[in-house]
Amino acid sequence: MPDGDHPASREEYEAVLDAGERARAASFVRDLHRDRYVAAHLALRRLLGAYLGVAPESVELIREPCPCCGAPHGRPAAAGAPLHFNLSHAGDLALLAFADTPVGADVEEVQQASVVDSVGRSLHPREVAELEALPPADRTTAFSRCWTRKEAYLKGTGTGLAERLSVTYVGCGPRPASPPGWTLTDVEAAPGYTAAVALADG
């Protein structure tokens, strides 16, 4: 993580990250959260720079128009570049996805039972039924699996949580259900985490 003894020094990330990213990093109260954010965004810029053949600090990050309202808070993008990407981070993990078509990625820590109880009924009716059919001990992982799939898809479309969780079915079972026009894939993650990637069909 970026501190004085790490290769990603303060001087480096202040030179590589843009003003918005630096402001976001400075807003974190805890050093751990700031360091995680900086590490994830340095990785994103280094990989984007490598794919595009430019210096990491030269990548201009923008937001595409929201498909719901047209405001500039849709999918993240590199200005003028055909490459699509998405970034997610949770706890000690970061997940980055790059593709020739729109892509969404999400990684989450497995939620507590209280979260499943409070949010689970907001999912698609078929997903609610799938959760209720499971033993209570299995519901947290199944819910988190469903949540990451849904987040990855909604980030890929650019709508985010402007779309209600009950609209699109992605499933809580061992295999994701891909919405029309998209391919959902679970990503193997460390114990205690779930992750998924959604890729628009070419």
Side-chain angles (χ1 to χ4, degrees), residues 24-98:
R24 175 68 175 141
S27 72
F28 287 102
V29 175
R30 295 185 60 193
D31 289 347
L32 175 62
H33 295 158
R34 181 179 63 250
D35 290 349
R36 286 169 170 170
Y37 173 87
V38 168
H41 281 253
L42 280 176
L44 172 64
R45 284 184 165 276
R46 287 169 177 161
L47 287 168
L48 280 172
Y51 279 123
L52 300 175
V54 300
E57 61 270 22
S58 298
V59 178
E60 181 186 355
L61 297 178
I62 61 171
R63 286 280 183 173
E64 295 179 347
C66 170
C68 297
C69 68
H73 54 238
R75 281 189 301 259
L83 182 68
H84 297 268
F85 68 90
N86 210 243
L87 163 66
S88 176
H89 49 92
D92 291 329
L93 298 186
L95 176 63
L96 297 100
F98 302 86

Side-chain angles (χ1 to χ4, degrees), residues 91-113:
D92 291 329
L93 298 186
L95 176 63
L96 297 100
F98 302 86
D100 293 330
T101 61
V103 63
D106 193 57
V107 59
E108 302 281 349
E109 295 183 77
V110 173
Q111 299 295 326
Q112 298 179 346

